[in-house]
Amino acid sequence: MAQLNKANSYFDQYEYIKAIPLYRKIVKQDSNLKALQRLADCYRLLKDYKNAEEIYDKVIQRSEADPINFFFYGLALKNNSKIQEAKVVFQKYSSLVPNDKISMVSLKSCDDIKIWMTRPLRFEVKNEKDLNSPAAEFCPVYY
């Protein structure tokens, strides 16, 4: 219980990296659904969609899982280029939460991706070696 409280505290403070090992240990010892969902959320929020997909798959196998987990599982699948599987999961989410507009948009995005992938590229992005370095430069400021 103390370990779960500590993991939840890290999660609530957006320290997902610190929360992950604790949630993994809890899930390994116990089939705690809340810890499993939080573990999947940590991976999703860190954009580790490979691990998020794996854990959300386990979450949605549980009958008492919140329907939003189907949506998040669909997002993980879509980010892992599993578009057809994502569409199936988004359809399931849409059936569970019929009035959620985001499910309709997500379903449409799966069809749109197929269209976008067939179109030829209109431009090519290249790294400008004189400007860019290996560091993140999305917000240069004087320091």
Side-chain angles (χ1 to χ4, degrees):
M1 186 66 164
Q3 204 167 31
L4 181 60
N5 289 338
K6 188 171 186 177
N8 287 336
S9 175
Y10 283 139
F11 185 91
D12 293 339
Q13 295 171 21
Y14 311 106
E15 296 185 66
Y16 308 121
I17 293 288
K18 291 180 181 179
I20 287 173
L22 297 175
Y23 284 130
R24 288 191 78 77
K25 192 180 288 186
I26 293 163
V27 168
K28 196 173 188 178
Q29 296 169 354
D30 180 7
S31 63
N32 185 317
L33 177 61
K34 183 69 174 173
L36 195 61
Q37 287 176 186
R38 284 281 178 100
L39 177 60
D41 290 340
C42 285
Y43 285 128
R44 175 180 53 85
L45 293 165
L46 290 171
K47 300 189 184 327
D48 181 350
Y49 296 115
K50 181 179 180 278
N51 282 314
E53 176 188 337
E54 177 189 334
I55 304 300
Y56 278 122
D57 185 38
K58 292 177 183 177
V59 171
I60 66 165
Q61 302 304 319
R62 307 275 293 270
S63 60
E64 67 274 22
D66 189 311
I68 193 67
N69 290 294
F70 284 90
F71 177 73
F72 292 143
Y73 181 45
L75 287 179
L77 287 166
K78 193 167 90 170
N79 279 290
N80 289 331
S81 300
K82 298 178 181 177
I83 308 306
Q84 200 55 43
E85 295 97 322
K87 186 174 181 178
V88 171
V89 174
F90 286 139
Q91 287 169 333
K92 175 69 175 174
Y93 175 70
S94 185
S95 71
L96 294 170
V97 187
N99 295 326
D100 190 348
K101 301 241 188 278
I102 194 76
S103 67
M104 291 177 243
V105 171
S106 299
L107 274 169
K108 181 158 175 22
S109 76
C110 289
D111 293 330
D112 290 345
I113 287 172
K114 291 176 189 172
I115 295 167
W116 299 332
M117 296 301 284
T118 61
R119 291 184 180 165
L121 296 176
R122 293 175 32 194
F123 51 87
E124 182 181 346
V125 177
K126 294 181 183 178
N127 184 15
E128 181 57 50
K129 292 178 182 156
D130 293 335
L131 269 176
N132 300 24
S133 72
E137 294 155 336
F138 58 89
C139 185
V141 294
Y142 182 73
Y143 178 71

